[in-house]
Amino acid sequence: MTMSEDSNSAILDSVANITEGCRLPVRMGISSDWPLAEIISIQENDDGRTFYVHYIDYNKRLDEWVGEDRLDTRKIQYPRGDLGSTTTGLNTGINTPKKLFTNPNSRPSSPVLPGPMAEAITGQSVMAALQQKQQKNRKRKLESEAVCNSSTNCTPEDERRSSVSGDLNLVDGQQAVPRQTGSLATHTDDHAITRIKNIRMIEIGRYRIKPWYFAPYPQEMVNLECIYICEFCLKFRKSRKCLERHVQKCPFKHPPGNEIYRKGIISVFELDGRKNKLYAQNLCLLAKLFLDHKTLYYDTDPFLFYVMTEYDAKGYHIVGYFSKEKESSEDYNVACILTLPPYQRKGFGKLLIEFSYELSKFEGKTGSPEKPLSDLGLLSYRSYWKQAILDVLISLKPQEGQEKPMITINEICEQTSIKKDDVISTLTNMELINYYRGQYILSLGKDLIESHKKCMDIRKIRIDAKCLHWTPKDWAKRGKW
Ligand code: ACO
Ligand code: ZN
């Protein structure tokens, strides 16, 4: 995009008037397009002002800090409302206009915090804000403490202490964050502090990964160039040197818990969120960096975690995981699911999903993922459901004396362990259901069958039920998790 000098100076003039909550076209980092974005936060520094922006029609993982040169102020929309009043109970130290936009479809966003960011978006303030919100909905008291296993100075003595105790240190004292519902994580928090990414980079195993979203790592981890995570025990450190020191002493080469599945180089470890609390909490913290619609809670007791790994001579490298409530009143068989970004789009997401349904088959139940699903979660589940259901339908043979094969929805559910609602929504989405002469008919066209076969040929890695060594526990009978 080229601009005349006149328009350039007009833009620069109006940059000074930009406040948090304004909306204007912003040049996107990844595409150089100019979509409408909202200013979430403004930071003053020596080089001028930088702006944290959210692109209105895009996922929050694309939110970013931009300089003035990327703002087109000619089309700026100011937030409507009383200037000078804040929109939350939190004292942000600045006067933020109420975010009421003229467009009825636009969602008012949260107010913002002043810089410096390191102070504003983590540590005490985050925990306090989360707690305030969550306490309102407290259902049960939590025994577990928050996790922090980083050490500020990371002396050999610190290393020794943490490896000897192998236990939890605390972040922000003994704050316990209550669970809101039966789920590990239900997103209700829309506060500015949790809207801004706070970790710039993580290094885990041989990968450097840019986080997508906020995660409540402790204060001293925030705004470092990178944080360093042990790929086997998931403890985090401030520098590579600290991590190297840790790795020399870390006894793990695989996740804790029991290896309940192994085929080729793929294994799955089952661990109990109560027995392996530190690992489970660090896993949730890591996952939060890539999960937006979920809020992190520290009560991992009611969950089991299934960690998928890939083996090589150095050990069992984490690829992804899902968590599952020990008891779910809503038939959820997955709470949170994640493939780490370097492994994404290689079929591991569907492999994890397939594994979750294999567990449900062993339990003799149908199950469904916890709602809401993320955009990528929905894509992956839709694709899995479609393939699993088509597999069943295509392999059907007509019964004796029948011209066409017959199956009921319940039979599809039994064979796949996919919950009825999901089976119906999948068949509906695929536009397969027709009503003809008083009965429902599923008609599968040749093209659909062909394309399904091609997809299944591409899907090389599959779960092999023979390699799963697992007996479900009846948690309701145990009385205690
Ligand atoms: N863009 C377009 N399509 C995608 C993308 C993408 N970025 N990522 C995955 N897909 C599609 C794939 O094309 C594939 O469909 P297809 O086989 O029909 O082509 C399907 O989704 C699954 O792909 P996989 O390679 O098997 O899945 P992946 O390993 O990438 O993992 C997952 C999917 C787990 C959702 C991953 O994207 C992730 O971890 N995202 C961040 C966390 C998240 O959103 N988790 C789900 C939250 S919902 C819940 O927890 C219940
Ligand atoms: Zn370790």
Side-chain angles (χ1 to χ4, degrees), residues 61 212-213 287 290-294 319 321 323 334-341 343-353 368-384 386-387 455 459:
R61 51 182 173 267
W212 296 357
Y213 309 111
F290 308 101
L291 279 160
D292 168 41
H293 62 301
K294 306 271 187 176
V319 164
Y321 87 104
S323 54
V334 164
C336 286
I337 185 166
L338 169 82
T339 305
L340 283 173
Y343 294 95
Q344 283 177 9
R345 304 211 70 179
K346 295 184 163 106
F348 286 112
K350 266 200 262 185
L351 198 65
L352 283 162
I353 295 172
S368 185
E370 186 180 294
K371 313 300 177 302
L373 295 174
S374 66
D375 55 349
L376 297 175
L378 185 62
L379 266 175
S380 305
Y381 268 98
R382 282 224 173 119
S383 174
Y384 175 82
K386 182 177 162 186
Q387 291 179 352
C455 287
R459 213 171 125 190

Side-chain angles (χ1 to χ4, degrees), residues 90-101:
L90 279 191
N91 181 5
T92 62
I94 52 166
N95 292 330
T96 312
K98 272 187 185 153
K99 311 290 187 298
L100 286 168
F101 288 88

Side-chain angles (χ1 to χ4, degrees), residues 127 130-145 175-188 273-274 277 281 284 294-305 323-330 332 334-336 370 481:
M127 298 308 293
L130 284 176
Q131 249 191 321
Q132 213 179 16
K133 199 138 193 169
Q134 291 160 2
Q135 256 156 8
K136 282 186 202 155
N137 301 310
R138 182 195 291 257
K139 271 193 177 164
R140 96 170 94 129
K141 198 173 182 307
L142 163 110
E143 312 122 25
S144 76
E145 302 106 314
Q175 291 179 354
V177 184
R179 293 169 67 226
Q180 241 171 339
T181 67
S183 84
L184 169 68
T186 303
H187 187 70
T188 51
R274 186 175 68 82
K277 195 171 288 186
Q281 289 175 329
C284 292
K294 306 271 187 176
T295 304
L296 185 74
Y297 295 96
Y298 291 107
D299 186 5
T300 57
D301 288 18
F303 295 88
L304 294 167
F305 294 80
S323 54
K324 174 173 178 165
E325 280 179 287
K326 292 171 183 171
E327 287 179 79
S328 169
S329 53
E330 282 156 291
Y332 291 140
V334 164
C336 286
E370 186 180 294
W481 296 321

Side-chain angles (χ1 to χ4, degrees), residues 187-256:
H187 187 70
T188 51
D189 200 306
D190 194 23
H191 198 279
I193 48 179
T194 61
R195 288 189 73 182
I196 298 175
K197 291 170 208 177
N198 57 339
I199 304 292
R200 289 188 201 163
M201 190 71 81
I202 62 166
E203 194 173 292
I204 177 164
R206 55 200 172 98
Y207 299 107
R208 278 197 151 221
I209 311 170
K210 228 174 168 183
W212 296 357
Y213 309 111
F214 172 91
Y217 277 91
Q219 174 82 41
E220 69 264 29
M221 288 302 178
V222 170
N223 279 351
L224 300 173
E225 280 307 312
C226 183
I227 66 173
Y228 298 82
I229 301 176
C230 172
E231 60 171 329
F232 299 120
C233 73
L234 304 185
K235 288 184 178 176
F236 43 85
R237 293 292 183 265
K238 289 172 70 168
S239 69
R240 190 176 283 133
K241 215 170 138 203
C242 284
L243 187 73
E244 279 165 4
R245 208 175 284 145
H246 164 81
V247 165
Q248 281 168 9
K249 287 161 200 156
C250 181
F252 299 104
K253 287 285 175 267
H254 56 76

Side-chain angles (χ1 to χ4, degrees), residues 62-86:
L62 299 180
D63 292 5
E64 57 186 335
W65 287 98
V66 301
E68 295 179 353
D69 57 318
R70 284 172 58 181
L71 308 178
D72 178 355
T73 51
R74 290 168 302 181
K75 294 178 195 145
I76 193 163
Q77 302 168 23
Y78 289 96
R80 203 154 47 85
D82 320 340
L83 283 165
S85 65
T86 52

Side-chain angles (χ1 to χ4, degrees), residues 33 87 126 158 163 171 203 298 452:
D33 289 340
T87 50
V126 175
D158 292 327
S163 62
V171 65
E203 194 173 292
Y298 291 107
H452 172 70

